[in-house]
């Protein structure tokens, strides 16, 4: 009985720890007229605010975005030397899911800024936002449970979409979709990570089969040292966890037996390098997360910016 109670308490504690863990969020600026440097500075200010909030942590790869847009409502030029630009802004802030193009909650601030140019006035206004700003922190705190509820209620659709993507060989996007669920949303996260392993296996089996065909073509086109080098380059892309890997080993033996003694030394070195690379492969969890991040990085930035602009 004591063991049952202890297990129950540990389970409750684990869930509480997940519930209290910070959730990843990515700050982004929606103003097209600002330079990249100014936008990056504004994002750095937002990162500091996020870091001071116990419910959230700043990350560059989250599907959850804290988007901000500064809308000038007044602009004056001061009668001083040197001339200064004084501006007032309505600052619109929105938290949403960039992948589903869904907004969770919005807020608005009013700020003033003065500087030697319009951009300097923007920067001065943003500098005035303190990490404990009540409007932004209230937005963050109130949005957290809304986000958790969203993934709980939409988990089935996310899994369904990932399965559809995998069936059309869009494995990387499917993996991104599944690995982008915040780990604090435990039920959905666990379901998605379980499916991720299946999709990852489908991906490496499909890619392994295609690369094995290519390796065979390369070998048949030469069956000499140059062909063996081309085969080694192709085989490097085949995961040792792929169902094609058994055929890779057979093909390695076939090539070894065909080459001359001098050619074999070079080939054997390439095979050892290939094996060393495969042995140093990331764990499946690390591998799928790397695939997800790479897919997100490959998306055109203008697509992301277009989605965010529609939130305001």
């Amino acid at each position: 009985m004591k063991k049952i109670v202890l297990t129950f308490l540990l389970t409750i504690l684990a869930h509480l720890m997940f519930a209290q863990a910070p959730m990843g969020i990515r700050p982004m600026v929606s103003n097209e007229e600002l330079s990249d440097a100014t936008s990056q500075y504004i994002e750095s200010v937002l990162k500091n605010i996020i870091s001071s909030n116990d419910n959230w942590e700043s990350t560059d790869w989250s599907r959850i975005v804290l988007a901000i847009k500064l809308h000038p409502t007044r602009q004056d030029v001061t009668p001083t030397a040197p001339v200064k630009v004084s501006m007032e802004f309505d600052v619109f802030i929105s938290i949403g899911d960039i992948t589903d193009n869904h907004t969770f909650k919005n807020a608005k601030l009013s700020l003033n800024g003065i500087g030697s140019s319009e951009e300097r006035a923007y920067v001065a206004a943003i500098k005035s936002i303190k990490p404990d700003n009540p409007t932004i922190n209230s937005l963050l705190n109130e949005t957290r449970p809304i986000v958790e509820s969203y993934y709980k209620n939409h988990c089935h659709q996310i899994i369904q979409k990932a399965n559809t993507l995998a069936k059309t060989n869009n494995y990387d996007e499917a993996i991104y979709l599944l690995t982008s669920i915040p780990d604090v949303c435990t039920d959905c996260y666990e379901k998605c990570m379980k499916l991720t392993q299946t999709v990852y296996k489908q991906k490496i089996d499909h890619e392994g089969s295609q690369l094995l065909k290519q390796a065979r073509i390369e070998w048949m086109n030469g069956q000499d040292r140059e062909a063996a080098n081309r085969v080694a380059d192709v085989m490097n892309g085949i995961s040792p966890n792929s169902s094609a890997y058994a055929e890779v080993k057979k093909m390695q033996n076939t090539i070894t037996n065909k080459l001359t003694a001098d050619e074999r030394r070079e080939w054997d070195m390439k095979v050892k390098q290939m094996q060393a690379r495969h042995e140093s492969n990331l764990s499946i969890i690390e591998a799928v997360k790397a695939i997800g991040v790479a897919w997100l990085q490959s998306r055109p930035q203008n697509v992301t910016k277009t989605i965010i602009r529609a939130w305001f």
Side-chain angles (χ1 to χ4, degrees):
M1 184 64 183
K2 286 182 178 178
K3 284 186 177 180
I4 295 173
V5 172
L6 180 59
T7 302
F8 176 75
L9 289 173
L10 287 172
T11 302
I12 295 295
L13 179 60
H15 277 81
L16 285 173
M17 287 173 67
F18 267 116
Q20 293 168 356
M23 187 182 292
I25 190 168
R26 177 163 42 132
M28 295 190 75
V29 179
S30 181
N31 291 75
E32 292 181 85
E33 69 274 17
L34 297 177
S35 67
D36 289 342
T38 300
S39 293
Q40 287 169 10
Y41 175 78
I42 294 173
E43 287 172 5
S44 71
V45 172
L46 295 176
K47 285 179 181 180
N48 288 335
I49 295 171
I50 292 167
S51 298
S52 68
N53 187 291
D54 293 336
N55 284 317
W56 299 89
E57 63 182 357
S58 177
T59 172
D60 291 332
W61 310 117
S62 176
R63 63 188 287 165
I64 307 168
V65 168
L66 174 67
I68 188 170
K69 181 178 179 67
L70 287 83
H71 175 68
T73 57
R74 185 189 63 80
Q75 180 174 332
D76 294 320
V77 177
T78 63
T80 58
V83 169
K84 297 283 186 181
V85 178
S86 175
M87 300 180 71
E88 292 179 359
F89 301 91
D90 282 340
V91 182
F92 299 96
I93 308 164
S94 184
I95 297 179
D97 183 316
I98 197 70
T99 302
D100 288 350
N101 191 10
H102 174 83
T103 52
F104 298 115
K105 199 170 177 62
N106 305 298
K108 179 183 171 184
L109 286 173
S110 293
L111 296 176
N112 301 316
I114 186 168
S116 57
S117 65
E118 286 187 25
E119 288 222 358
R120 292 288 183 183
Y122 275 85
V123 169
I126 289 297
K127 274 185 177 179
S128 69
I129 303 177
K130 304 301 180 187
D132 60 351
N133 182 275
T135 301
I136 299 180
N137 277 283
S138 293
L139 175 66
L140 289 167
N141 294 333
E142 291 169 11
T143 305
R144 167 73 182 251
I146 297 172
V147 173
E148 291 176 352
S149 177
Y150 178 82
Y151 293 123
K152 180 180 179 181
N153 296 330
H154 289 78
C155 197
H156 176 70
Q157 291 97 312
I158 293 168
I159 288 173
Q160 207 170 39
K161 184 177 179 181
N163 276 321
T164 301
L165 288 166
K167 285 176 183 176
T168 54
N169 298 338
N170 291 308
Y171 301 110
D172 291 5
E173 185 177 355
I175 286 171
Y176 163 73
L177 200 64
L178 295 167
T179 56
S180 64
I181 302 301
D183 56 7
V184 296
C185 304
T186 50
D187 290 341
C188 187
Y189 176 79
E190 288 168 6
K191 289 175 185 175
C192 288
M193 288 306 293
K194 185 176 180 180
L195 179 58
T196 301
Q197 295 180 48
T198 301
V199 175
Y200 177 68
K201 187 67 167 67
Q202 292 170 351
K203 170 185 165 69
I204 61 175
D205 284 352
H206 175 76
E207 292 178 350
S209 174
Q210 297 299 310
L211 289 170
L212 184 61
K213 287 178 185 177
Q214 184 182 340
R216 283 171 172 159
I217 291 170
E218 295 289 354
W219 178 242
M220 290 303 296
N221 286 339
Q223 298 193 23
D224 54 16
R225 183 190 329 210
E226 288 75 17
N229 287 336
R230 294 196 301 271
V231 168
D233 291 340
V234 173
M235 283 184 172
N236 262 325
I238 301 176
S239 168
N241 297 315
S242 166
S243 57
Y245 202 68
E247 292 300 316
V248 169
K249 303 299 288 184
K250 289 180 184 178
M251 193 171 177
Q252 286 175 353
N253 293 333
T254 298
I255 294 173
T256 298
N257 294 332
K258 181 72 176 177
L259 297 175
T260 65
D262 286 343
E263 292 172 333
R264 194 177 300 162
R265 279 193 290 272
E266 186 177 352
W267 167 251
D268 287 344
M269 184 178 298
K270 283 195 172 286
V271 169
K272 287 179 181 177
Q273 290 171 346
M274 192 190 314
Q275 289 172 341
R277 177 182 173 277
H278 288 158
E279 287 170 5
S280 65
N281 268 352
L282 300 173
S283 69
I284 290 179
I285 291 177
E286 291 173 320
V288 294
K289 287 187 175 179
I291 290 167
V293 168
W295 182 86
L296 184 61
Q297 284 179 310
S298 71
R299 292 190 79 193
Q301 279 298 305
N302 62 320
V303 173
T304 303
K305 293 285 187 181
T306 300
I307 292 171
I308 291 175
R309 282 197 294 272
W311 291 0
F312 300 103

